[in-house]
Amino acid sequence: MESCPSVKNVLLLDSEGNRVAVKYYSDDWPTNSAKEAFEKSVFTKTQKTNARNEAEITLFENHVVVYKFVQDLHFFVTGSEDENELILATVLQGFFDAVGLILRGTVDKKEALENLDLILLCLDEIVDGGIILETDANVIAEKVASHSIDAGAPLSEQTISQALATAREHLARSLLK
Amino acid sequence: MAQPLVKKDDDRDDEADYSPFLGIEKGAVLQEARVFNDPQLDPRRCSQVITKLLYLLNQGESFTKVEATEVFFAVTKLFQSRDIGLRRMVYMMIKELSPSADEVIIVTSSLMKDMTSKTDMYRANAIRVLCRITDGTLLTQIERYLKQAIVDKNPVVASAALVSGIHLLQTNPEIVKRWSNEVQEAVQSRAALVQFHALALLHQIRQNDRLAVNKLVTSLTRGSVRSPLAQCLLIRYTSQVIRESANNTQTGDRPFYDFLEGCLRHKAEMVIFEAARAITELNGVTSRELTPAITVLQLFLSSSKPVLRFAAVRTLNKVAMTHPMAVTNCNIDMESLISDQNRSIATLAITTLLKTGNESSVDRLMKQITNFMSDIADEFKIVVVEAIRSLCLKFPLKHRSLMNFLSNILREEGGFEYKKAIVDSIVILIRDIPEAKESGLLHLCEFIEDCEFTYLSTQILHFLGIEGPKTSDPSKYIRYIYNRVHLENATVRAGAVSTLAKFGAMVDSLKPRIFVLLRRCVFDNDDEVRDRATLYLNTLGGDGAVVETGEDVKDFLFGSLDIPLVNLENSLKNYEASEEPFDINSVPREVKTQPLAEKKAPGKKPTGLGAPPPGPPSTVDAYEKLLSSIPEFANFGKLFKSSAPVELTEAETEYAVNVVKHIFDGHVVFQYNCTNTIPEQLLENVIVVVDASEAEEFAEVASKPLRSLPYDSPGQTFVAFEKPEGVPAVGKFSNMLRFIVKEVDPSTGEAEDDGVEDEYQLEDLEVVAADYMLKVGVSNFRNAWESMGADFERVDEYGLGPRDSLAEAVNAVINLLGMQPCEGTEVVPNNSRSHTCLLSGVYIGNVKVLVRLQFGLDGPKDVAMKLAVRSEDEVVSDAIHEIVASG
């Protein structure tokens, strides 16, 4: 155990075990079907447990899996068998809380899918290629939410493009009605 | 224009299972990606399309090479937009597409611009993207920026560069290694995560330089490391240093132990746990060192967080394997975990308790487990069953309650794997604990009355056929077996018929009744069942008067098929239907000898039903057959023991020779297995000339040369010696291989007519006292020891001189005596200062011998040993002492 703590995958599944957003960092699951099989079995195995208040944990196919549920969303973080369980739990908690902040408290599948870009950015900020980047939910959410306009852009250009975007959106909506 | 993502606000309440990606389709999304080419970019729209593309990839959809290239080029256009949100999506998209080398060039300049931008977010992400997709040549161009980024005052930028460095170290180590000055500086960073990433990278750069790692650890353990993650890393590196320096320190305190112990008081739980685990995994950890770690783990056991409880109980479970006593303090907390909501925790707690429990607590524990078993999954139950089995082997006196427990759970619902685990355990207990045999067999009988698994039924029937006739009242099993003939499928019925026949063959009083039953089976509607019944009726003489069952009939019924199944299968495949019947003697018998089957040592998994019954391994049978087929040796009597092969040549020499020593009562036969490794040679009249001048009690009586030894096909030659009957004579023999060598033309494979006589010196061979000792285990050593009595007990003490370790001394004595270690006592726990080892065996002349060895460390390295021998013969007890005294 001289190696750096590492994460093998982070999964966000819905209440039927379908993918909302997943990210794999190891070659343990080389194909998409291997990944789906893993998700299916890990979901089935944990489905009946109560992981709503505290994060739960299980050993599964030589991996440690920590998980937590809220509404119809199931959060999982997987590490190797001899990984420090508490480190994995910290990653899980960081992901879980950051998603809560990003979705402003309404954490369910619908909201998560509607803000999928933010969820994916969130995953991108937590782990990079298996190495933990950040575990503080506030820092993660802040990085994800910094959707402001590039400070370097000329002011005039900014306003015009913004105005155009807004106008186009209004037009699209009126057409749909 | 109906974009699901756009209309999301309008009908959010209408559909319960609404998804913004409902009905999404790859082709359509790829079409949409054309907006990336618009002269007037709409950042929001573009972000939505990228999200859809990412969604598709995330769902496992894959793009063809062409599609991916198209999307990639379109995405690169988006660098024109200065919208931060869109740029981030672009970064993610590029990483997902992992472009090829020639495509990378397109984005390199854009990314390098972002890398030097004033916006930190751009810099951090551009570094990560660029390092992900780059190759070595590009890396040298951007190296300067990366070095700067490592020491950037913005922690996000520094971390991005460091983490990228960790990844790049795998592919371009020589470049990353040049950054160590900057990385070193980053280790001192005030930002917690920068420190963590810098430490990880620095260690990976220097991991092969032991001195550097040592220095790194020394300096950091004194200073303050801010992030808990970095502290965990430091603990890992520290234990590595401890492990590597362990050999250099003779006695005294372990270096850095204080640091690990200090970490037990850290405020972050992950650090406390990492340190506690590191301490429990130290090589040869002492109980004094263990105590503080066990104490914090014990506190975790009652935490409200399942993850903490799990981590603690899992670590304690491991400790219990090597230091059961250290964990007993936690037993009360552990017992309350049996009812834990999380079944993984409960199972770990139970198996820990089973390891640490003593004989008196078994009954109480079993009561608790019974309640627990009903509500866990099969996979956990199997773990518990295995733990109970080893517990039962540890405390054979408790077999009654443990066997009852196993039979109870056998009756409950369960899948095949679970049932098989239980049956295997019962079978092992029956074999190893004679007192448990009758009750165990009855439990198995009851189980097959209502068993849905054909495999288990047939295996149990087979086992009953072997063990049942040897019990005090074999007749009581007949009913169970015969019921199978009425109630089961053809496979089980056929198995039952064979089992009935075995009872008939072994128990003469039952024979008439068995015949009645077998005759009924002749009318079965399945061919195999009928055939078997007819065959057995004939071989047992069921058509005529009741006769003694002959030896060959028993052999036929009980003897194992002495032909390897693989060979038989091959021969049958090659057999073409013709007038000539298939001759089983034509099947080759050569088989690779397999390593001796499992021992009873803890941790090794017993194989249960599938394994052959205990007793002499099949190789002995094979040797016996081989030797008795040679007329010169036929009158030597029963083979007492055959040694393992001893190599007489170095590996990879011209001729490879090893020897097996066959011990008879009044003779010794050396079987030389020779292999010719030279393709251009054919050896003829191969014989080993043995000089027995250093073995006075032996006299050569016969030898059997090997007529011809072609390239790469092993052959045997034998030499036999006479020795005083029943006496464990020892001696040294020098060997010379003598043969006629003929040249072979490798192209035609034909040998020349004329040969040359030649000799080849082999290494010496010794017959030692251990050759006269058979390894025969006893299940309950204490019982055997007591019942042997102290009449011929001989006790003496020996100094074994300086030894590398206690374990090494124990092994040396076991090998010297050639006896079977009992109850797993050949395993010496790490760092123990004393050890007791129990051995049993049978000495030549069929004299049972039991040995109790007590070892102690006397001074730093000197090992002292007390040897107590009990046997059925005073002379033998003395002989054992002589072996040790002269060895």
Side-chain angles (χ1 to χ4, degrees), chain B residues 558-744:
Chain B
F558 293 98
S560 53
L561 190 63
D562 56 351
I563 304 165
L565 280 178
V566 197
N567 299 2
L568 179 61
E569 189 184 340
N570 284 335
S571 302
L572 280 172
K573 272 186 195 154
N574 295 334
Y575 174 70
E576 283 166 27
S578 64
E579 290 294 297
E580 210 173 303
F582 179 75
D583 181 10
I584 200 156
N585 292 323
S586 68
V587 180
R589 281 158 195 259
E590 273 123 47
V591 62
K592 283 176 196 146
T593 49
Q594 283 177 346
L596 255 175
E598 39 116 0
K599 292 189 192 123
K600 237 199 300 171
K604 281 193 188 155
K605 209 173 165 182
T607 29
L609 280 172
S618 53
T619 48
V620 171
D621 289 341
Y623 283 142
E624 201 163 6
K625 279 216 175 88
L626 178 73
L627 292 171
S628 57
S629 68
I630 300 169
E632 288 92 328
F633 310 145
N635 59 352
F636 286 180
K638 189 164 166 44
L639 177 63
F640 177 74
K641 182 186 179 179
S642 297
S643 74
V646 183
E647 296 297 333
L648 296 182
T649 50
E650 308 264 316
E652 293 168 29
T653 46
E654 299 98 304
Y655 315 111
V657 179
N658 66 40
V659 65
V660 177
K661 297 174 268 184
H662 300 291
I663 310 288
F664 293 86
D665 209 26
H667 296 86
V668 175
V669 175
F670 297 145
Q671 172 188 338
Y672 296 92
N673 300 311
C674 315
T675 313
N676 171 11
T677 62
I678 307 173
E680 296 84 18
Q681 284 190 1
L682 169 71
L683 307 189
E684 287 188 346
N685 281 338
V686 183
I687 184 74
V688 177
V689 180
V690 183
D691 174 11
S693 55
E694 285 181 71
E696 288 158 6
E697 288 174 282
F698 295 83
E700 187 171 329
V701 288
S703 68
K704 192 175 182 318
L706 177 62
R707 200 164 298 261
S708 134
L709 182 65
Y711 164 64
D712 204 26
S713 82
Q716 294 105 29
T717 161
F718 300 86
V719 181
F721 287 86
E722 198 170 36
K723 68 171 190 61
E725 200 138 315
V727 172
V730 296
K732 194 171 180 184
F733 303 81
S734 58
N735 308 292
M736 178 77 80
L737 192 67
R738 187 169 291 166
F739 47 83
I740 296 168
V741 57
K742 289 184 175 175
E743 293 288 316
V744 174

Side-chain angles (χ1 to χ4, degrees), chain B residues 285-515:
Chain B
V285 64
T286 64
S287 44
R288 192 173 57 86
E289 288 170 323
L290 262 181
T291 312
I294 301 287
T295 312
V296 297
L297 290 173
Q298 188 177 2
L299 284 176
F300 282 179
L301 287 181
S302 45
S303 158
S304 66
K305 293 181 192 160
V307 176
L308 265 182
R309 296 199 298 273
F310 177 91
V313 75
R314 190 155 78 115
T315 309
L316 289 171
N317 189 300
K318 276 198 202 119
V319 178
M321 289 184 202
T322 49
H323 296 80
M325 292 314 289
V327 184
T328 43
N329 281 342
C330 309
N331 276 1
I332 294 175
D333 306 81
M334 211 64 96
E335 278 180 36
S336 60
L337 289 183
I338 295 179
S339 55
D340 199 293
Q341 285 279 319
N342 184 320
R343 300 331 266 163
S344 302
I345 296 177
T347 312
L348 282 167
I350 287 211
T351 47
T352 314
L353 283 169
L354 289 174
K355 281 175 203 147
T356 59
N358 50 30
E359 201 149 356
S360 59
S361 66
V362 168
D363 290 316
R364 191 166 45 91
L365 206 54
M366 294 315 292
K367 221 173 267 166
Q368 275 177 298
I369 295 177
T370 313
N371 300 330
F372 162 82
M373 285 300 263
S374 56
D375 52 27
I376 55 170
D378 273 8
E379 48 175 314
F380 293 134
K381 289 181 185 171
I382 293 172
V383 177
V384 175
V385 167
E386 273 162 9
I388 284 175
R389 176 176 63 210
S390 37
L391 184 73
C392 193
L393 292 176
K394 197 161 118 200
F395 303 123
L397 292 177
K398 285 285 163 198
H399 72 86
R400 206 173 305 275
S401 66
L402 294 168
M403 191 63 108
N404 270 335
F405 174 81
L406 289 176
S407 75
N408 281 336
I409 55 174
L410 194 53
R411 270 185 234 122
E412 280 158 23
E413 286 294 302
F416 173 72
E417 289 300 328
Y418 174 44
K419 290 286 163 93
K420 184 167 179 295
I422 304 173
V423 171
D424 283 353
S425 298
I426 293 181
V427 167
I428 287 166
L429 296 184
I430 289 173
R431 276 185 194 152
D432 288 351
I433 306 170
E435 301 81 32
K437 185 191 249 179
E438 305 241 338
S439 68
L441 285 178
L442 275 178
H443 290 316
L444 291 179
C445 281
E446 272 164 31
F447 173 61
I448 52 171
E449 287 279 37
D450 185 23
C451 170
E452 54 188 308
F453 305 109
T454 301
Y455 174 83
L456 290 181
S457 291
T458 50
Q459 294 291 307
I460 290 174
L461 282 169
H462 175 78
F463 186 67
L464 269 176
I466 295 167
E467 295 293 336
K470 298 183 203 153
T471 55
S472 58
D473 182 13
S475 65
K476 66 182 170 193
Y477 302 106
I478 300 293
R479 180 171 61 87
Y480 295 103
I481 301 165
Y482 189 62
N483 279 348
R484 305 278 69 69
V485 178
H486 283 299
L487 303 168
E488 304 278 356
N489 61 38
T491 314
V492 179
R493 290 205 301 276
V497 167
S498 299
T499 306
L500 283 175
K502 283 180 189 160
F503 274 81
M506 296 299 283
V507 189
D508 287 332
S509 59
L510 284 176
K511 223 173 207 177
R513 288 148 73 190
I514 296 283
F515 286 153

